[in-house]
Amino acid sequence: MLLIAQAMRLHYLAGVNQDPQETAMAATIEVESTLTDRYQITVRETVRRALKLGKRDKIHYAIRPSGEVVLTLVEASDSDDPVLGQFLGFLADDITRHPERQQSVDAGLVQRLQSLVPGVDVHLDAVLSADDE
């Protein structure tokens, strides 16, 4: 097991978010994480909430000369995947222009989709295990 001489300190600074209406942090929050054998860390719930992080979000690390690390959420943009952004824009526009084309999903289609993945048990509202977090 890899021994770490110093614990990593993650600082969320109130100054990271320049919009004063969205800045709810009155003080610095300090949280510790442990580096794994594979040099990975778990972003603690406190930090995830403070940065409003979701699964698959990207994190930007700013490492200061003092050794302090500042984490910020990388804002997703259409430039991350221009094809997907254009496609989603097309769908949104089409739904707005032609709401009459929308159809509900009937039980027959649900059964057909389920027949394509037999034995796969999916619970979209289930809490993830610690390994999946």
Side-chain angles (χ1 to χ4, degrees), residues 67-86:
E68 185 176 55
V69 178
V70 178
L71 302 180
T72 54
L73 172 64
V74 175
E75 295 295 329
S77 68
D78 289 344
S79 64
D80 289 342
D81 188 343
V83 174
L84 180 61
Q86 290 175 0

Side-chain angles (χ1 to χ4, degrees), residues 74-107:
V74 175
E75 295 295 329
S77 68
D78 289 344
S79 64
D80 289 342
D81 188 343
V83 174
L84 180 61
Q86 290 175 0
F87 178 68
L88 293 175
F90 165 77
L91 288 178
D93 186 50
D94 190 59
I95 290 170
T96 301
R97 285 194 217 176
H98 304 286
E100 72 279 2
R101 293 182 183 170
Q102 295 181 36
Q103 299 178 11
S104 61
V105 177
D106 65 4

Side-chain angles (χ1 to χ4, degrees), residues 101-121:
R101 293 182 183 170
Q102 295 181 36
Q103 299 178 11
S104 61
V105 177
D106 65 4
L109 178 58
V110 171
Q111 288 176 348
R112 168 81 174 110
L113 293 172
Q114 289 173 338
S115 74
L116 297 173
V117 288
V120 177
D121 193 20

Side-chain angles (χ1 to χ4, degrees), residues 12-107:
Y12 174 80
L13 303 177
V16 168
N17 186 348
Q18 300 302 319
D19 184 351
Q21 293 179 343
E22 292 183 14
T23 302
M25 306 296 295
T28 300
I29 296 174
E30 294 190 21
V31 182
E32 293 182 358
S33 293
T34 301
L35 194 64
T36 69
D37 293 338
R38 293 177 54 192
Y39 298 99
Q40 297 174 336
I41 62 167
T42 298
V43 178
R44 300 288 178 196
E45 182 181 9
T46 306
V47 176
R48 292 193 312 260
R49 267 198 238 140
L51 295 178
K52 299 177 183 167
L53 293 174
K55 293 180 182 188
R56 312 299 301 170
D57 279 346
K58 292 184 180 184
I59 300 171
H60 174 80
Y61 295 82
I63 303 170
R64 297 186 174 165
S66 66
E68 185 176 55
V69 178
V70 178
L71 302 180
T72 54
L73 172 64
V74 175
E75 295 295 329
S77 68
D78 289 344
S79 64
D80 289 342
D81 188 343
V83 174
L84 180 61
Q86 290 175 0
F87 178 68
L88 293 175
F90 165 77
L91 288 178
D93 186 50
D94 190 59
I95 290 170
T96 301
R97 285 194 217 176
H98 304 286
E100 72 279 2
R101 293 182 183 170
Q102 295 181 36
Q103 299 178 11
S104 61
V105 177
D106 65 4

